[in-house]
C-alpha cells in the first residue's frame, strides 16, 4: 500500500485542478455512499473533521442519533478520469470513526482491517482476485432501466454480436486509468451479460476496488446510454450474476496452499482452509448472498454454486480449485454475488478459512455429483431467512464481524425479508388464483 | 472539406426533416438520427460522427447532458438547438462546452457558419489539448527523473551527469522509460526510510 503525505495530496489536488472531492464509504448493507466536499474543505477532511449521522452506515434510520467522523485513507485518492480536466472531481475512501476517534463498530472497512491484522498475527496474508458479472441493459426513452438486454451474444463472442464491447472497453480503460489491474474482460454466457476480472491484490485494496468497480461500471454504462445491473438474478431463464473470489494465503513470498509432496499438489493448509469455509458456509451465505433475489441464483441448474463442498471441476460446488499450482494455486469461492458487501464478504471468508487452518480441520472429500443428486443438508440455505438464522447462530463469525455490526445487519435484513413475505407475488396469482 | 458526418437529434420530426434537407443540400452526410437523449448517446458512440447537432429539450436525458458527455469523452463538437435561451440552459451549455448555440427555428444562413466554424475550431482544440497533455507528461517525467537523480547523487556519491547517465543506461538496458526507472529508484528509497 502506498503512503502519501497530506501535503503531497494537497499539492496533487491543486496541480490537477480538483474542485470537488467525494468522500466515499460503504454501509453495512454494502451500498457505496458518498459525501461531496469542495476543495477548500479538503484540509479539514484530511484531519477527519467531516462528520455525519451514524444511521448512514448502519443501513437503517431509527430514533437514536450519533455522529460519525469520516477518516479518509489518502492512499485511495484518485481523480475520476471521465470528468473534465477543468474542474476535476476526485475521491477518497473513508473509515467511519466515533467522536473519540475509535473505529465505529458498524464500519465494515475497519472490520476487514481487524480481521487482516488477526491473520497477520498468525503469520498469514491473504490475496484476493474477483471476477464480477453484470448485465448491460437498455434504458427506455425516459432513461430508466428496462429488462431488455443489450445484445444477443454468448460466451466470449466477438463483436458485432457483442454490442457491449464498446462500453466494456471504456470501462476497462477507465478502471486502468484509476490504477486498477484488470486482467480480463469478456462476454458471459447469457445475452447482455459481461464479466470483468480484477487481478489479485491485497485484501483491503481488493475490497476497495470491488466497491469502486461497481460504481465506475454503472457510471460508464450510463454514459453509453445503458444500465449496468449487479442484481444477482434479474432474469428467470438466464444465468445469475456472481462475484467469484480467487483467494490464496501467503506467508512472506510463499503461497501456503501449495505442497508438491501432498496429493494434488495442495498443502494440508489449503484443505483446512476449505474445511473452515465449508464449516461456516451456511452463515457466510447470509453475507455473500445478501438479497432475497440472491437465492434465485442458487436454485438448481448446472451452474448454480449451491453445494457446500469443493471440487476440481464440478460447477455446482461453492468452492472450486483450478489447475494452476506453485505460487498461482488458489481457491475460488463461487457462491458470492455482486450485491454483497465486499469488506464483510472478504472478512467472513478469511475468518472462516483461518479457523480451519489454525484448528487443522480435515476437509471433506471432493464432491463430484451435480446439484440434483445432493442431499438437502449438503446444499446452501434456500432463502435469505434460512441463511440469516444460520448466521445468527454462528458465534465464531459474530465474533469476527463484531456483534454490533451483526445486529445492525440482521435487523435490516430481517425487515427486508418480512417486506418480501408481506407481498403477494405475480407467480402466486398465476399459480393459485384460478385453482383455489 | 470532405463530406462531414453528422448525427442529428431532436424530438420534433418536422424540425429534423427540415434540418436534414438543409444539411444534405449543403453537402453534409447525416449518419444517424434519434429522438431522445439515451438513443443519441448510443448513436454517437457507435457512429463516431464529426459533429453532433442536438435539440436542448429532449425526453429523459436532455440534449445538454448528452453534450456534456460527448465533450468529456472528446467524441465530437456539439451544436445545440434550443427553444429558449434561459439562464439555466446557458449555464448548462457553458459547462458542456458546446461549440455553438442556435435558437429554433433554425435558418440555413445560421446553421452553415455554425457548423463550419465548430468543425474547424474543434480540430484546433483537439490538437492543442494533445500538445498540452504531452507537455504535462514530459514535465512530470522530468520532475521524477530529477528527484531520482538527487537520490542517486546522494546515496552513490556521484555527480549529476553520472547519475543521469546511469538512469539512461538502465532505461536502455531494461527497455523501460527513464520515468519508470526513476520511479523505481524513488520507491526503493522510500523503503529505506
Amino acid at each position: 500500500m502506498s503512503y502519501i503525505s497530506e501535503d503531497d495530496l494537497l499539492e496533487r489536488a491543486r496541480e490537477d485542478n480538483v474542485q470537488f472531492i467525494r468522500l466515499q464509504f460503504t454501509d453495512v448493507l454494502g451500498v457505496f455512499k458518498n459525501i461531496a466536499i469542495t476543495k477548500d474543505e479538503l484540509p479539514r477532511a484530511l484531519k477527519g473533521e467531516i462528520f455525519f449521522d451514524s444511521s448512514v452506515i448502519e443501513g437503517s434510520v431509527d430514533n437514536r442519533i450519533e455522529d460519525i467522523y469520516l477518516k479518509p485513507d489518502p492512499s485511495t485518492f484518485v481523480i475520476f478520469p471521465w470528468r473534465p480536466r477543468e474542474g476535476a472531481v476526485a475521491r477518497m475512501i473513508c473509515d467511519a470513526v466515533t467522536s473519540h476517534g475509535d473505529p465505529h463498530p458498524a464500519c465494515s472497512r475497519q472490520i476487514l482491517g481487524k480481521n487482516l491484522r488477526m491473520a497477520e498475527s498468525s503469520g498469514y496474508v491473504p490475496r484476493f482476485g474477483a471476477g464480477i458479472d453484470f448485465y448491460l441493459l437498455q434504458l427506455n426513452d425516459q432513461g430508466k432501466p428496462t429488462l431488455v438486454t443489450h445484445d444477443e451474444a454468448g460466451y466470449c463472442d466477438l463483436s458485432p454480436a457483442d454490442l457491449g464491447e464498446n462500453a466494456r472497453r471504456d470501462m476497462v480503460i477507465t478502471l486502468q486509468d484509476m490504477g486498477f489491474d484488470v486482467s480480463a474482460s469478456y462476454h458471459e454466457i447469457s445475452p447482455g451479460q459481461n464479466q470483468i476480472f480484477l487481478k489479485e491484490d491485497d485484501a483491503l485494496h481488493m475490497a476497495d476496488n470491488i466497491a469502486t468497480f461497481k460504481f465506475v461500471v454503472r457510471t460508464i454504462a450510463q454514459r453509453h446510454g445503458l444500465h449496468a445491473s449487479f442484481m444477482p438474478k434479474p432474469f428467470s431463464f438466464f444465468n445469475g450474476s456472481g462475484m467469484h473470489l480467487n483467494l490464496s494465503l501467503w506467508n512472506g513470498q510463499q503461497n501456503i496452499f501449495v505442497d508438491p509432496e501432498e496429493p494434488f499438489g495442495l498443502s494440508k493448509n489449503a484443505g483446512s482452509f476449505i474445511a473452515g469455509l465449508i464449516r461456516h458456509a451456511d452463515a457466510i451465505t447470509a453475507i455473500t448472498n445478501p438479497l432475497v433475489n440472491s437465492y434465485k441464483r442458487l436454485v438448481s441448474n448446472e451452474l448454480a454454486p449451491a453445494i457446500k463442498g469443493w471440487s476440481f471441476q464440478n460447477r455446482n460446488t461453492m468452492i472450486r480449485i483450478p489447475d494452476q499450482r506453485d505460487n498461482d494455486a488458489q481457491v475460488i469461492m463461487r457462491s458470492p454475488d455482486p450485491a454483497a458487501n465486499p469488506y464483510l464478504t472478504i472478512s467472513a471468508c478469511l475468518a472462516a478459512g483461518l479457523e480451519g487452518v489454525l484448528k487443522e480441520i480435515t476437509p471433506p472429500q471432493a464432491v463430484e455429483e451435480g446439484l440434483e443428486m445432493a442431499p438437502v443438508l449438503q446444499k446452501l440455505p434456500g432463502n435469505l431467512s434460512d441463511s440469516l438464522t444460520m448466521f445468527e447462530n454462528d458465534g465464531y463469525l459474530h465474533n469476527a464481524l463484531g456483534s454490533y455490526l451483526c445486529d445492525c445487519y440482521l435487523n435490516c435484513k430481517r425487515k427486508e425479508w418480512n417486506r418480501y413475505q408481506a407481498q403477494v407475488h405475480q407467480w402466486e396469482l398465476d399459480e393459485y388464483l384460478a385453482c383455489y | 472539406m470532405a463530406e462531414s458526418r453528422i448525427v442529428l437529434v431532436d424530438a420534433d420530426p418536422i424540425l429534423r426533416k427540415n434540418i436534414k434537407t438543409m444539411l444534405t443540400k449543403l453537402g453534409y452526410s447525416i449518419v444517424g438520427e434519434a429522438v431522445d437523449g439515451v438513443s443519441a448517446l448510443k448513436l454517437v458512440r457507435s457512429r463516431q460522427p464529426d459533429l453532433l447537432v442536438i435539440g436542448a429539450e429532449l425526453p429523459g436525458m436532455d440534449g445538454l447532458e448528452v453534450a456534456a458527455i460527448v465533450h468529456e469523452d472528446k467524441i465530437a463538437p456539439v451544436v445545440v438547438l434550443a427553444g429558449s435561451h434561459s439562464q439555466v440552459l446557458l449555464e448548462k451549455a457553458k459547462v458542456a462546452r458546446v461549440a455553438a448555440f442556435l435558437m429554433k427555428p433554425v435558418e440555413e444562413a445560421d446553421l452553415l457558419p455554425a457548423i463550419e466554424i465548430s468543425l474547424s475550431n474543434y480540430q484546433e482544440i483537439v490538437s492543442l489539448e494533445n500538445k498540452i497533455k504531452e507537455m504535462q507528461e514530459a514535465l512530470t517525467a522530468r520532475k521524477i527523473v530529477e528527484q531520482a537523480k538527487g537520490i542517486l547523487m546522494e546515496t552513490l556519491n556521484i555527480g549529476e551527469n553520472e547519475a543521469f547517465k546511469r538512469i539512461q543506461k538502465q532505461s536502455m538496458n531494461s527497455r523501460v522509460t527513464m520515468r519508470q526507472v526513476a520511479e523505481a529508484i524513488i520507491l526503493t528509497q522510500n523503503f529505506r526510510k
Side-chain angles (χ1 to χ4, degrees), chain A residues 307-352:
Chain A
I307 296 178
K308 275 187 277 176
W310 68 278
S311 78
F312 293 109
Q313 272 152 4
N314 187 349
R315 284 185 182 272
N316 280 140
T317 51
M318 62 179 275
I319 296 165
R320 194 174 82 85
I321 299 178
D323 291 334
Q324 303 107 306
R325 287 297 176 268
D326 300 327
N327 272 348
D328 292 331
Q330 49 186 218
V331 165
I332 303 183
M333 266 289 273
R334 302 182 65 250
S335 53
D337 67 52
N341 177 328
Y343 301 97
L344 297 182
T345 296
I346 290 179
S347 299
C349 293
L350 177 62

Side-chain angles (χ1 to χ4, degrees), chain B:
Chain B
M1 173 178 269
E3 198 175 81
S4 295
R5 301 163 68 255
I6 295 179
V7 163
L8 173 61
V9 184
D10 198 275
D12 177 0
I14 297 170
L15 181 130
R16 252 189 0 256
K17 188 166 164 257
N18 290 341
I19 293 188
K20 193 176 174 182
T21 317
M22 280 182 219
L23 292 176
T24 319
K25 203 179 82 189
L26 293 167
Y28 299 107
S29 124
I30 306 292
V31 293
E33 286 182 64
V35 295
D36 63 85
V38 170
S39 320
L41 208 46
K42 281 193 273 197
L43 206 54
V44 170
R45 299 249 183 221
S46 57
R47 305 280 156 87
Q48 297 283 327
D50 300 313
L51 183 113
L52 168 66
V53 176
I54 191 166
E57 300 89 358
L58 296 177
M61 185 187 268
D62 75 37
L64 290 167
E65 284 174 59
V66 176
I69 293 173
V70 171
H71 160 69
E72 284 163 8
D73 286 0
K74 302 191 181 24
I75 301 172
V78 182
V79 172
V80 169
L81 314 176
S84 83
H85 50 84
S86 71
Q87 202 56 40
V88 180
L89 222 50
L90 279 175
E91 271 313 311
K92 282 177 89 172
K94 280 201 290 198
V95 170
R97 295 284 193 279
V98 303
F101 191 100
L102 298 179
M103 295 298 297
K104 291 179 189 171
V106 183
E107 302 291 335
E108 196 174 304
D110 298 329
L111 192 60
L112 175 70
I115 289 180
E116 280 303 307
I117 290 174
S118 301
L119 285 169
S120 73
N121 281 351
Y122 194 72
Q123 302 293 340
E124 194 180 340
I125 292 172
V126 168
S127 86
L128 281 177
E129 275 187 356
N130 286 340
K131 247 182 230 162
I132 293 175
K133 206 176 154 204
E134 270 169 35
M135 283 164 72
Q136 267 173 343
E137 271 164 19
L139 191 67
T140 324
R142 214 165 108 186
K143 269 192 200 166
I144 294 170
V145 173
E146 283 294 316
Q147 201 187 339
K149 231 164 60 181
I151 293 172
L152 289 192
M153 286 161 68
E154 202 183 303
T155 49
L156 302 179
N157 203 11
I158 52 177
E160 190 175 344
N161 278 343
E162 179 59 24
F164 184 78
K165 266 189 211 151
R166 289 203 189 179
I167 295 176
Q168 201 175 30
K169 192 158 171 247
Q170 188 59 248
S171 145
M172 284 192 294
N173 287 349
S174 44
R175 292 174 198 200
V176 295
T177 61
M178 286 183 62
R179 177 183 176 158
Q180 283 168 305
V181 175
E183 277 169 345
I185 293 171
I186 295 167
L187 204 67
T188 320
Q189 180 72 1
N190 285 349
F191 268 116
R192 293 192 181 176
K193 276 180 192 167

Side-chain angles (χ1 to χ4, degrees), chain A residues 186-303:
Chain A
Y186 53 85
H187 198 286
E188 257 292 351
I189 296 171
S190 297
Q193 198 184 26
N194 294 270
Q195 186 182 87
I196 293 181
F197 189 83
L198 307 177
K199 228 166 149 181
E200 286 77 10
D201 206 333
D202 70 73
L204 188 62
H205 254 117
M206 187 43 66
D208 283 346
N209 283 355
I210 293 171
T212 308
F213 171 84
K214 289 191 272 185
F215 152 75
V216 170
V217 166
R218 274 203 203 102
T219 306
I220 301 299
Q222 199 212 3
R223 295 168 68 86
H224 282 257
L226 297 169
H227 177 76
S229 175
F230 292 97
M231 185 171 164
K233 181 85 177 172
F235 300 99
S236 306
F237 301 106
F238 291 153
N239 290 323
S241 293
M243 178 172 77
H244 298 177
L245 293 176
N246 297 29
L247 60 95
S248 52
L249 205 56
W250 294 70
N251 187 337
Q253 298 291 314
Q254 181 62 37
N255 180 344
I256 66 150
F257 282 174
V258 197
D259 186 348
E261 309 291 308
E262 292 286 325
F264 312 119
L266 293 168
S267 69
K268 285 212 168 62
N269 282 323
S272 303
F273 194 89
I274 292 170
L277 283 173
I278 293 173
R279 170 181 284 192
H280 295 283
D282 290 321
I284 287 178
T285 307
I287 299 291
T288 54
N289 305 72
L291 306 186
V292 169
N293 181 254
S294 297
Y295 295 83
K296 312 263 156 107
R297 174 177 160 253
L298 297 179
V299 294
S300 272
N301 79 33
E302 63 280 11
L303 293 175

